[in-house]
DNA sequence: TAGAAATAATACGGCTCCGAAACGAACGGA
DNA sequence: TCCGTTCGTTTCGGAGCCGTATTATTTCTA
């Protein structure tokens, strides 16, 4: 069953979601992430693993330092972890965390609830 | 007709939208806005006018300099304009622009299309 | 086995944002 | 009229992100 969302509804949904993120001040729910950081986080949790710095950089069309720095920031909040690849020690495997899974789940609920409140 | 969007679908939608914004490189479509800037832009175009610096600051729960700086940035891209209020010269009325309306419309179409491609 | 290639991280200079405080202009009540 | 209040802006020091270039490590290949 495809989801139908008219442009006007889509905009209202975006506004509500962004609005909630901006107003959110819970210490455990950092909301001042960059669009890039947000995208990297969602990609790690929604796309099938394994995820590497190089793979993410290519997928998002950004340079590798952008990924490294974003992982530093996300890691500071314990939303992702890094581990060296035993098979190829040059690689770094990005791993999910319990906190990160909870964060993403909360975000999904937030968006879902906003959608359910949408008018015609 | 209320919109039903399960949390998993909502997350996928967010990922796609953020992803498109991050990858977008059109010179006329600045995609490196802050979550705050994005929210301010959408509020100006979706909520009924008039909009003032003070009003936006209160609504978004941020300080006034945040609004002033965001308007500077959005204004640089010609997405909003400022005009002094003739009735009370202390006030500044924030106005929409053709470019801004087009930007918001494009964003709405982008989100709507992403939603229509969502799986079950 | 020695040199080229690939990977992630770091260094650097520049830019933008932040919050708090201070500021100038305009209003309004006593 | 005068002085407190309101409104938007600016200033200040601090922090974070950016892209480019460079580095250290590991792997591949001739």
């Amino acid at each position: 069953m495809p989801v139908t969302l008219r442009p006007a509804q889509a905009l209202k949904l975006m506004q509500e979601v962004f609005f909630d993120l901006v107003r959110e001040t819970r210490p455990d729910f950092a909301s001042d992430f960059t669009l890039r950081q947000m995208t990297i986080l969602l990609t790690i949790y929604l796309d099938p693993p394994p995820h590497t710095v190089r793979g993410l950089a290519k997928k998002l069309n950004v340079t590798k330092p952008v990924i490294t720095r974003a992982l530093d920031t996300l890691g500071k909040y314990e939303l992702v972890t890094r581990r060296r690849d035993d098979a190829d020690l040059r690689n770094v495997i990005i791993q999910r965390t319990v906190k990160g899974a909870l964060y993403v789940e909360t975000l999904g609920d937030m968006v879902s609830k906003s959608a359910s409140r949408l008018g015609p």
PDB file of all heavy atoms in Angstrom, chain D residues 3-17:
ATOM      1  P    DC D   3      14.397  61.576  33.403  1.00  0.00           P
ATOM      2  OP1  DC D   3      14.828  62.243  34.645  1.00  0.00           O
ATOM      3  OP2  DC D   3      15.277  61.598  32.214  1.00  0.00           O
ATOM      4  O5'  DC D   3      14.075  60.057  33.757  1.00  0.00           O
ATOM      5  C5'  DC D   3      12.841  59.748  34.423  1.00  0.00           C
ATOM      6  C4'  DC D   3      12.332  58.397  33.956  1.00  0.00           C
ATOM      7  O4'  DC D   3      11.672  58.533  32.668  1.00  0.00           O
ATOM      8  C3'  DC D   3      13.423  57.340  33.754  1.00  0.00           C
ATOM      9  O3'  DC D   3      12.982  56.137  34.326  1.00  0.00           O
ATOM     10  C2'  DC D   3      13.555  57.237  32.241  1.00  0.00           C
ATOM     11  C1'  DC D   3      12.109  57.495  31.825  1.00  0.00           C
ATOM     12  N1   DC D   3      11.943  57.923  30.416  1.00  0.00           N
ATOM     13  C2   DC D   3      10.798  57.526  29.708  1.00  0.00           C
ATOM     14  O2   DC D   3       9.957  56.835  30.269  1.00  0.00           O
ATOM     15  N3   DC D   3      10.645  57.926  28.414  1.00  0.00           N
ATOM     16  C4   DC D   3      11.592  58.673  27.843  1.00  0.00           C
ATOM     17  N4   DC D   3      11.396  59.046  26.564  1.00  0.00           N
ATOM     18  C5   DC D   3      12.768  59.079  28.536  1.00  0.00           C
ATOM     19  C6   DC D   3      12.898  58.685  29.819  1.00  0.00           C
ATOM     20  P    DG D   4      14.044  55.051  34.831  1.00  0.00           P
ATOM     21  OP1  DG D   4      14.201  55.248  36.288  1.00  0.00           O
ATOM     22  OP2  DG D   4      15.226  55.067  33.941  1.00  0.00           O
ATOM     23  O5'  DG D   4      13.254  53.687  34.594  1.00  0.00           O
ATOM     24  C5'  DG D   4      11.910  53.558  35.062  1.00  0.00           C
ATOM     25  C4'  DG D   4      11.078  52.776  34.066  1.00  0.00           C
ATOM     26  O4'  DG D   4      10.969  53.533  32.826  1.00  0.00           O
ATOM     27  C3'  DG D   4      11.650  51.405  33.686  1.00  0.00           C
ATOM     28  O3'  DG D   4      10.634  50.433  33.774  1.00  0.00           O
ATOM     29  C2'  DG D   4      12.141  51.595  32.256  1.00  0.00           C
ATOM     30  C1'  DG D   4      11.204  52.660  31.736  1.00  0.00           C
ATOM     31  N9   DG D   4      11.744  53.461  30.637  1.00  0.00           N
ATOM     32  C8   DG D   4      12.924  54.183  30.637  1.00  0.00           C
ATOM     33  N7   DG D   4      13.140  54.804  29.521  1.00  0.00           N
ATOM     34  C5   DG D   4      12.049  54.474  28.727  1.00  0.00           C
ATOM     35  C6   DG D   4      11.734  54.853  27.393  1.00  0.00           C
ATOM     36  O6   DG D   4      12.369  55.584  26.642  1.00  0.00           O
ATOM     37  N1   DG D   4      10.525  54.291  26.965  1.00  0.00           N
ATOM     38  C2   DG D   4       9.739  53.469  27.728  1.00  0.00           C
ATOM     39  N2   DG D   4       8.631  53.020  27.154  1.00  0.00           N
ATOM     40  N3   DG D   4      10.020  53.105  28.970  1.00  0.00           N
ATOM     41  C4   DG D   4      11.188  53.646  29.399  1.00  0.00           C
ATOM     42  P    DT D   5      10.977  48.896  33.520  1.00  0.00           P
ATOM     43  OP1  DT D   5      10.136  48.085  34.410  1.00  0.00           O
ATOM     44  OP2  DT D   5      12.452  48.752  33.529  1.00  0.00           O
ATOM     45  O5'  DT D   5      10.477  48.667  32.028  1.00  0.00           O
ATOM     46  C5'  DT D   5       9.127  49.022  31.698  1.00  0.00           C
ATOM     47  C4'  DT D   5       8.872  48.745  30.234  1.00  0.00           C
ATOM     48  O4'  DT D   5       9.515  49.756  29.426  1.00  0.00           O
ATOM     49  C3'  DT D   5       9.398  47.395  29.735  1.00  0.00           C
ATOM     50  O3'  DT D   5       8.343  46.691  29.111  1.00  0.00           O
ATOM     51  C2'  DT D   5      10.517  47.764  28.767  1.00  0.00           C
ATOM     52  C1'  DT D   5      10.088  49.152  28.298  1.00  0.00           C
ATOM     53  N1   DT D   5      11.203  50.032  27.844  1.00  0.00           N
ATOM     54  C2   DT D   5      11.133  50.596  26.596  1.00  0.00           C
ATOM     55  O2   DT D   5      10.210  50.411  25.834  1.00  0.00           O
ATOM     56  N3   DT D   5      12.198  51.405  26.264  1.00  0.00           N
ATOM     57  C4   DT D   5      13.301  51.687  27.050  1.00  0.00           C
ATOM     58  O4   DT D   5      14.193  52.426  26.655  1.00  0.00           O
ATOM     59  C5   DT D   5      13.309  51.063  28.350  1.00  0.00           C
ATOM     60  C7   DT D   5      14.460  51.288  29.274  1.00  0.00           C
ATOM     61  C6   DT D   5      12.269  50.270  28.686  1.00  0.00           C
ATOM     62  P    DT D   6       8.524  45.193  28.629  1.00  0.00           P
ATOM     63  OP1  DT D   6       7.257  44.472  28.865  1.00  0.00           O
ATOM     64  OP2  DT D   6       9.807  44.705  29.172  1.00  0.00           O
ATOM     65  O5'  DT D   6       8.688  45.380  27.049  1.00  0.00           O
ATOM     66  C5'  DT D   6       7.698  46.095  26.330  1.00  0.00           C
ATOM     67  C4'  DT D   6       8.160  46.310  24.905  1.00  0.00           C
ATOM     68  O4'  DT D   6       9.244  47.276  24.875  1.00  0.00           O
ATOM     69  C3'  DT D   6       8.695  45.043  24.217  1.00  0.00           C
ATOM     70  O3'  DT D   6       8.012  44.872  22.989  1.00  0.00           O
ATOM     71  C2'  DT D   6      10.182  45.334  24.031  1.00  0.00           C
ATOM     72  C1'  DT D   6      10.189  46.854  23.931  1.00  0.00           C
ATOM     73  N1   DT D   6      11.476  47.526  24.285  1.00  0.00           N
ATOM     74  C2   DT D   6      12.024  48.414  23.401  1.00  0.00           C
ATOM     75  O2   DT D   6      11.508  48.681  22.335  1.00  0.00           O
ATOM     76  N3   DT D   6      13.209  48.990  23.811  1.00  0.00           N
ATOM     77  C4   DT D   6      13.871  48.756  25.004  1.00  0.00           C
ATOM     78  O4   DT D   6      14.930  49.334  25.265  1.00  0.00           O
ATOM     79  C5   DT D   6      13.243  47.800  25.890  1.00  0.00           C
ATOM     80  C7   DT D   6      13.874  47.481  27.202  1.00  0.00           C
ATOM     81  C6   DT D   6      12.081  47.237  25.491  1.00  0.00           C
ATOM     82  P    DC D   7       8.043  43.509  22.213  1.00  0.00           P
ATOM     83  OP1  DC D   7       6.720  43.292  21.605  1.00  0.00           O
ATOM     84  OP2  DC D   7       8.634  42.494  23.098  1.00  0.00           O
ATOM     85  O5'  DC D   7       9.078  43.821  21.055  1.00  0.00           O
ATOM     86  C5'  DC D   7       8.794  44.832  20.100  1.00  0.00           C
ATOM     87  C4'  DC D   7      10.028  45.114  19.283  1.00  0.00           C
ATOM     88  O4'  DC D   7      10.988  45.799  20.103  1.00  0.00           O
ATOM     89  C3'  DC D   7      10.733  43.863  18.775  1.00  0.00           C
ATOM     90  O3'  DC D   7      10.540  43.739  17.374  1.00  0.00           O
ATOM     91  C2'  DC D   7      12.213  44.064  19.123  1.00  0.00           C
ATOM     92  C1'  DC D   7      12.266  45.504  19.608  1.00  0.00           C
ATOM     93  N1   DC D   7      13.229  45.738  20.728  1.00  0.00           N
ATOM     94  C2   DC D   7      14.256  46.671  20.578  1.00  0.00           C
ATOM     95  O2   DC D   7      14.358  47.273  19.507  1.00  0.00           O
ATOM     96  N3   DC D   7      15.111  46.881  21.597  1.00  0.00           N
ATOM     97  C4   DC D   7      14.963  46.200  22.738  1.00  0.00           C
ATOM     98  N4   DC D   7      15.825  46.444  23.731  1.00  0.00           N
ATOM     99  C5   DC D   7      13.922  45.240  22.918  1.00  0.00           C
ATOM    100  C6   DC D   7      13.087  45.041  21.892  1.00  0.00           C
ATOM    101  P    DG D   8      10.916  42.385  16.598  1.00  0.00           P
ATOM    102  OP1  DG D   8      10.024  42.242  15.433  1.00  0.00           O
ATOM    103  OP2  DG D   8      10.983  41.316  17.606  1.00  0.00           O
ATOM    104  O5'  DG D   8      12.371  42.709  16.083  1.00  0.00           O
ATOM    105  C5'  DG D   8      12.542  43.769  15.138  1.00  0.00           C
ATOM    106  C4'  DG D   8      13.995  44.198  15.089  1.00  0.00           C
ATOM    107  O4'  DG D   8      14.432  44.522  16.421  1.00  0.00           O
ATOM    108  C3'  DG D   8      14.965  43.131  14.575  1.00  0.00           C
ATOM    109  O3'  DG D   8      15.497  43.574  13.339  1.00  0.00           O
ATOM    110  C2'  DG D   8      16.029  43.004  15.667  1.00  0.00           C
ATOM    111  C1'  DG D   8      15.792  44.222  16.535  1.00  0.00           C
ATOM    112  N9   DG D   8      16.082  44.018  17.950  1.00  0.00           N
ATOM    113  C8   DG D   8      15.477  43.138  18.805  1.00  0.00           C
ATOM    114  N7   DG D   8      15.934  43.185  20.029  1.00  0.00           N
ATOM    115  C5   DG D   8      16.902  44.168  19.980  1.00  0.00           C
ATOM    116  C6   DG D   8      17.756  44.667  21.004  1.00  0.00           C
ATOM    117  O6   DG D   8      17.804  44.323  22.191  1.00  0.00           O
ATOM    118  N1   DG D   8      18.591  45.668  20.524  1.00  0.00           N
ATOM    119  C2   DG D   8      18.619  46.127  19.232  1.00  0.00           C
ATOM    120  N2   DG D   8      19.484  47.092  18.945  1.00  0.00           N
ATOM    121  N3   DG D   8      17.829  45.671  18.258  1.00  0.00           N
ATOM    122  C4   DG D   8      17.003  44.695  18.706  1.00  0.00           C
ATOM    123  P    DT D   9      16.637  42.695  12.601  1.00  0.00           P
ATOM    124  OP1  DT D   9      16.616  43.059  11.183  1.00  0.00           O
ATOM    125  OP2  DT D   9      16.480  41.296  13.031  1.00  0.00           O
ATOM    126  O5'  DT D   9      18.000  43.262  13.237  1.00  0.00           O
ATOM    127  C5'  DT D   9      18.263  44.663  13.166  1.00  0.00           C
ATOM    128  C4'  DT D   9      19.537  45.009  13.897  1.00  0.00           C
ATOM    129  O4'  DT D   9      19.387  44.702  15.304  1.00  0.00           O
ATOM    130  C3'  DT D   9      20.777  44.252  13.429  1.00  0.00           C
ATOM    131  O3'  DT D   9      21.692  45.186  12.868  1.00  0.00           O
ATOM    132  C2'  DT D   9      21.332  43.584  14.700  1.00  0.00           C
ATOM    133  C1'  DT D   9      20.641  44.329  15.819  1.00  0.00           C
ATOM    134  N1   DT D   9      20.384  43.557  17.056  1.00  0.00           N
ATOM    135  C2   DT D   9      21.103  43.851  18.194  1.00  0.00           C
ATOM    136  O2   DT D   9      21.959  44.713  18.236  1.00  0.00           O
ATOM    137  N3   DT D   9      20.777  43.083  19.293  1.00  0.00           N
ATOM    138  C4   DT D   9      19.832  42.078  19.356  1.00  0.00           C
ATOM    139  O4   DT D   9      19.627  41.455  20.396  1.00  0.00           O
ATOM    140  C5   DT D   9      19.125  41.828  18.134  1.00  0.00           C
ATOM    141  C7   DT D   9      18.070  40.747  18.090  1.00  0.00           C
ATOM    142  C6   DT D   9      19.425  42.564  17.060  1.00  0.00           C
ATOM    143  P    DT D  10      23.017  44.658  12.197  1.00  0.00           P
ATOM    144  OP1  DT D  10      23.389  45.649  11.171  1.00  0.00           O
ATOM    145  OP2  DT D  10      22.832  43.237  11.833  1.00  0.00           O
ATOM    146  O5'  DT D  10      24.078  44.722  13.383  1.00  0.00           O
ATOM    147  C5'  DT D  10      24.242  45.944  14.100  1.00  0.00           C
ATOM    148  C4'  DT D  10      25.195  45.744  15.262  1.00  0.00           C
ATOM    149  O4'  DT D  10      24.555  44.960  16.293  1.00  0.00           O
ATOM    150  C3'  DT D  10      26.493  45.017  14.901  1.00  0.00           C
ATOM    151  O3'  DT D  10      27.583  45.824  15.297  1.00  0.00           O
ATOM    152  C2'  DT D  10      26.427  43.708  15.699  1.00  0.00           C
ATOM    153  C1'  DT D  10      25.492  44.061  16.840  1.00  0.00           C
ATOM    154  N1   DT D  10      24.709  42.938  17.414  1.00  0.00           N
ATOM    155  C2   DT D  10      24.825  42.655  18.758  1.00  0.00           C
ATOM    156  O2   DT D  10      25.552  43.269  19.510  1.00  0.00           O
ATOM    157  N3   DT D  10      24.040  41.612  19.198  1.00  0.00           N
ATOM    158  C4   DT D  10      23.173  40.849  18.444  1.00  0.00           C
ATOM    159  O4   DT D  10      22.529  39.942  18.952  1.00  0.00           O
ATOM    160  C5   DT D  10      23.107  41.182  17.053  1.00  0.00           C
ATOM    161  C7   DT D  10      22.206  40.405  16.143  1.00  0.00           C
ATOM    162  C6   DT D  10      23.872  42.198  16.605  1.00  0.00           C
ATOM    163  P    DT D  11      29.062  45.400  14.958  1.00  0.00           P
ATOM    164  OP1  DT D  11      29.800  46.627  14.652  1.00  0.00           O
ATOM    165  OP2  DT D  11      29.042  44.297  13.985  1.00  0.00           O
ATOM    166  O5'  DT D  11      29.585  44.820  16.355  1.00  0.00           O
ATOM    167  C5'  DT D  11      29.388  45.578  17.543  1.00  0.00           C
ATOM    168  C4'  DT D  11      29.884  44.810  18.758  1.00  0.00           C
ATOM    169  O4'  DT D  11      28.905  43.821  19.155  1.00  0.00           O
ATOM    170  C3'  DT D  11      31.190  44.038  18.540  1.00  0.00           C
ATOM    171  O3'  DT D  11      32.061  44.275  19.639  1.00  0.00           O
ATOM    172  C2'  DT D  11      30.744  42.583  18.472  1.00  0.00           C
ATOM    173  C1'  DT D  11      29.548  42.592  19.401  1.00  0.00           C
ATOM    174  N1   DT D  11      28.546  41.517  19.169  1.00  0.00           N
ATOM    175  C2   DT D  11      28.107  40.778  20.249  1.00  0.00           C
ATOM    176  O2   DT D  11      28.500  40.949  21.379  1.00  0.00           O
ATOM    177  N3   DT D  11      27.168  39.825  19.931  1.00  0.00           N
ATOM    178  C4   DT D  11      26.649  39.539  18.687  1.00  0.00           C
ATOM    179  O4   DT D  11      25.817  38.661  18.537  1.00  0.00           O
ATOM    180  C5   DT D  11      27.158  40.347  17.605  1.00  0.00           C
ATOM    181  C7   DT D  11      26.659  40.111  16.212  1.00  0.00           C
ATOM    182  C6   DT D  11      28.065  41.290  17.891  1.00  0.00           C
ATOM    183  P    DC D  12      33.613  44.035  19.504  1.00  0.00           P
ATOM    184  OP1  DC D  12      34.277  45.165  20.175  1.00  0.00           O
ATOM    185  OP2  DC D  12      33.963  43.716  18.101  1.00  0.00           O
ATOM    186  O5'  DC D  12      33.834  42.729  20.377  1.00  0.00           O
ATOM    187  C5'  DC D  12      33.466  42.736  21.771  1.00  0.00           C
ATOM    188  C4'  DC D  12      33.383  41.310  22.278  1.00  0.00           C
ATOM    189  O4'  DC D  12      32.168  40.704  21.786  1.00  0.00           O
ATOM    190  C3'  DC D  12      34.512  40.400  21.796  1.00  0.00           C
ATOM    191  O3'  DC D  12      35.454  40.213  22.845  1.00  0.00           O
ATOM    192  C2'  DC D  12      33.829  39.082  21.439  1.00  0.00           C
ATOM    193  C1'  DC D  12      32.357  39.315  21.748  1.00  0.00           C
ATOM    194  N1   DC D  12      31.435  38.775  20.715  1.00  0.00           N
ATOM    195  C2   DC D  12      30.480  37.816  21.073  1.00  0.00           C
ATOM    196  O2   DC D  12      30.429  37.446  22.247  1.00  0.00           O
ATOM    197  N3   DC D  12      29.646  37.333  20.129  1.00  0.00           N
ATOM    198  C4   DC D  12      29.751  37.770  18.878  1.00  0.00           C
ATOM    199  N4   DC D  12      28.899  37.266  17.984  1.00  0.00           N
ATOM    200  C5   DC D  12      30.715  38.735  18.489  1.00  0.00           C
ATOM    201  C6   DC D  12      31.539  39.207  19.427  1.00  0.00           C
ATOM    202  P    DG D  13      36.845  39.487  22.517  1.00  0.00           P
ATOM    203  OP1  DG D  13      37.844  40.055  23.442  1.00  0.00           O
ATOM    204  OP2  DG D  13      37.077  39.460  21.063  1.00  0.00           O
ATOM    205  O5'  DG D  13      36.536  37.996  22.995  1.00  0.00           O
ATOM    206  C5'  DG D  13      36.043  37.765  24.319  1.00  0.00           C
ATOM    207  C4'  DG D  13      35.579  36.339  24.440  1.00  0.00           C
ATOM    208  O4'  DG D  13      34.451  36.119  23.548  1.00  0.00           O
ATOM    209  C3'  DG D  13      36.629  35.282  24.060  1.00  0.00           C
ATOM    210  O3'  DG D  13      36.589  34.224  24.992  1.00  0.00           O
ATOM    211  C2'  DG D  13      36.214  34.855  22.660  1.00  0.00           C
ATOM    212  C1'  DG D  13      34.695  34.989  22.751  1.00  0.00           C
ATOM    213  N9   DG D  13      34.050  35.193  21.464  1.00  0.00           N
ATOM    214  C8   DG D  13      34.476  36.003  20.431  1.00  0.00           C
ATOM    215  N7   DG D  13      33.681  35.988  19.390  1.00  0.00           N
ATOM    216  C5   DG D  13      32.666  35.110  19.752  1.00  0.00           C
ATOM    217  C6   DG D  13      31.520  34.689  19.037  1.00  0.00           C
ATOM    218  O6   DG D  13      31.160  35.014  17.899  1.00  0.00           O
ATOM    219  N1   DG D  13      30.756  33.784  19.777  1.00  0.00           N
ATOM    220  C2   DG D  13      31.050  33.353  21.041  1.00  0.00           C
ATOM    221  N2   DG D  13      30.213  32.489  21.601  1.00  0.00           N
ATOM    222  N3   DG D  13      32.126  33.740  21.722  1.00  0.00           N
ATOM    223  C4   DG D  13      32.878  34.617  21.015  1.00  0.00           C
ATOM    224  P    DG D  14      37.526  32.940  24.802  1.00  0.00           P
ATOM    225  OP1  DG D  14      37.952  32.509  26.145  1.00  0.00           O
ATOM    226  OP2  DG D  14      38.528  33.232  23.764  1.00  0.00           O
ATOM    227  O5'  DG D  14      36.516  31.850  24.229  1.00  0.00           O
ATOM    228  C5'  DG D  14      35.322  31.562  24.967  1.00  0.00           C
ATOM    229  C4'  DG D  14      34.509  30.505  24.240  1.00  0.00           C
ATOM    230  O4'  DG D  14      33.914  31.083  23.053  1.00  0.00           O
ATOM    231  C3'  DG D  14      35.318  29.292  23.769  1.00  0.00           C
ATOM    232  O3'  DG D  14      34.651  28.107  24.159  1.00  0.00           O
ATOM    233  C2'  DG D  14      35.384  29.449  22.256  1.00  0.00           C
ATOM    234  C1'  DG D  14      34.086  30.193  21.962  1.00  0.00           C
ATOM    235  N9   DG D  14      34.113  30.986  20.735  1.00  0.00           N
ATOM    236  C8   DG D  14      35.054  31.910  20.359  1.00  0.00           C
ATOM    237  N7   DG D  14      34.807  32.453  19.198  1.00  0.00           N
ATOM    238  C5   DG D  14      33.632  31.846  18.774  1.00  0.00           C
ATOM    239  C6   DG D  14      32.878  32.021  17.588  1.00  0.00           C
ATOM    240  O6   DG D  14      33.117  32.774  16.645  1.00  0.00           O
ATOM    241  N1   DG D  14      31.760  31.194  17.570  1.00  0.00           N
ATOM    242  C2   DG D  14      31.400  30.320  18.558  1.00  0.00           C
ATOM    243  N2   DG D  14      30.302  29.607  18.366  1.00  0.00           N
ATOM    244  N3   DG D  14      32.098  30.142  19.674  1.00  0.00           N
ATOM    245  C4   DG D  14      33.196  30.937  19.711  1.00  0.00           C
ATOM    246  P    DA D  15      35.404  26.703  24.044  1.00  0.00           P
ATOM    247  OP1  DA D  15      35.154  25.977  25.301  1.00  0.00           O
ATOM    248  OP2  DA D  15      36.786  26.936  23.563  1.00  0.00           O
ATOM    249  O5'  DA D  15      34.586  25.986  22.882  1.00  0.00           O
ATOM    250  C5'  DA D  15      33.159  25.932  22.976  1.00  0.00           C
ATOM    251  C4'  DA D  15      32.585  25.549  21.632  1.00  0.00           C
ATOM    252  O4'  DA D  15      32.755  26.654  20.712  1.00  0.00           O
ATOM    253  C3'  DA D  15      33.272  24.341  20.986  1.00  0.00           C
ATOM    254  O3'  DA D  15      32.336  23.292  20.823  1.00  0.00           O
ATOM    255  C2'  DA D  15      33.792  24.858  19.642  1.00  0.00           C
ATOM    256  C1'  DA D  15      32.983  26.113  19.427  1.00  0.00           C
ATOM    257  N9   DA D  15      33.685  27.128  18.650  1.00  0.00           N
ATOM    258  C8   DA D  15      34.868  27.739  18.953  1.00  0.00           C
ATOM    259  N7   DA D  15      35.257  28.618  18.057  1.00  0.00           N
ATOM    260  C5   DA D  15      34.259  28.566  17.096  1.00  0.00           C
ATOM    261  C6   DA D  15      34.084  29.248  15.887  1.00  0.00           C
ATOM    262  N6   DA D  15      34.940  30.150  15.421  1.00  0.00           N
ATOM    263  N1   DA D  15      32.974  28.970  15.165  1.00  0.00           N
ATOM    264  C2   DA D  15      32.110  28.053  15.632  1.00  0.00           C
ATOM    265  N3   DA D  15      32.173  27.355  16.753  1.00  0.00           N
ATOM    266  C4   DA D  15      33.287  27.658  17.448  1.00  0.00           C
ATOM    267  P    DG D  16      32.830  21.910  20.187  1.00  0.00           P
ATOM    268  OP1  DG D  16      32.100  20.845  20.872  1.00  0.00           O
ATOM    269  OP2  DG D  16      34.312  21.907  20.113  1.00  0.00           O
ATOM    270  O5'  DG D  16      32.275  22.007  18.691  1.00  0.00           O
ATOM    271  C5'  DG D  16      30.915  22.325  18.475  1.00  0.00           C
ATOM    272  C4'  DG D  16      30.650  22.379  16.987  1.00  0.00           C
ATOM    273  O4'  DG D  16      31.244  23.577  16.443  1.00  0.00           O
ATOM    274  C3'  DG D  16      31.263  21.209  16.223  1.00  0.00           C
ATOM    275  O3'  DG D  16      30.287  20.614  15.380  1.00  0.00           O
ATOM    276  C2'  DG D  16      32.397  21.818  15.413  1.00  0.00           C
ATOM    277  C1'  DG D  16      31.999  23.262  15.298  1.00  0.00           C
ATOM    278  N9   DG D  16      33.146  24.165  15.267  1.00  0.00           N
ATOM    279  C8   DG D  16      34.170  24.228  16.184  1.00  0.00           C
ATOM    280  N7   DG D  16      35.058  25.128  15.888  1.00  0.00           N
ATOM    281  C5   DG D  16      34.608  25.697  14.716  1.00  0.00           C
ATOM    282  C6   DG D  16      35.155  26.726  13.905  1.00  0.00           C
ATOM    283  O6   DG D  16      36.204  27.373  14.099  1.00  0.00           O
ATOM    284  N1   DG D  16      34.370  26.994  12.793  1.00  0.00           N
ATOM    285  C2   DG D  16      33.200  26.345  12.493  1.00  0.00           C
ATOM    286  N2   DG D  16      32.580  26.728  11.378  1.00  0.00           N
ATOM    287  N3   DG D  16      32.669  25.389  13.221  1.00  0.00           N
ATOM    288  C4   DG D  16      33.419  25.109  14.316  1.00  0.00           C
ATOM    289  P    DC D  17      30.596  19.326  14.535  1.00  0.00           P
ATOM    290  OP1  DC D  17      29.409  18.463  14.631  1.00  0.00           O
ATOM    291  OP2  DC D  17      31.928  18.834  14.949  1.00  0.00           O
ATOM    292  O5'  DC D  17      30.708  19.849  13.047  1.00  0.00           O
ATOM    293  C5'  DC D  17      29.623  20.567  12.472  1.00  0.00           C
ATOM    294  C4'  DC D  17      30.092  21.212  11.176  1.00  0.00           C
ATOM    295  O4'  DC D  17      31.069  22.214  11.504  1.00  0.00           O
ATOM    296  C3'  DC D  17      30.772  20.218  10.235  1.00  0.00           C
ATOM    297  O3'  DC D  17      29.996  20.037   9.055  1.00  0.00           O
ATOM    298  C2'  DC D  17      32.131  20.840   9.926  1.00  0.00           C
ATOM    299  C1'  DC D  17      32.044  22.233  10.490  1.00  0.00           C
ATOM    300  N1   DC D  17      33.328  22.684  11.104  1.00  0.00           N
ATOM    301  C2   DC D  17      34.041  23.719  10.508  1.00  0.00           C
ATOM    302  O2   DC D  17      33.593  24.248   9.480  1.00  0.00           O
ATOM    303  N3   DC D  17      35.212  24.120  11.060  1.00  0.00           N
ATOM    304  C4   DC D  17      35.662  23.530  12.162  1.00  0.00           C
ATOM    305  N4   DC D  17      36.812  23.960  12.680  1.00  0.00           N
ATOM    306  C5   DC D  17      34.950  22.463  12.788  1.00  0.00           C
ATOM    307  C6   DC D  17      33.797  22.070  12.226  1.00  0.00           C
TER     308       DC D  17
END
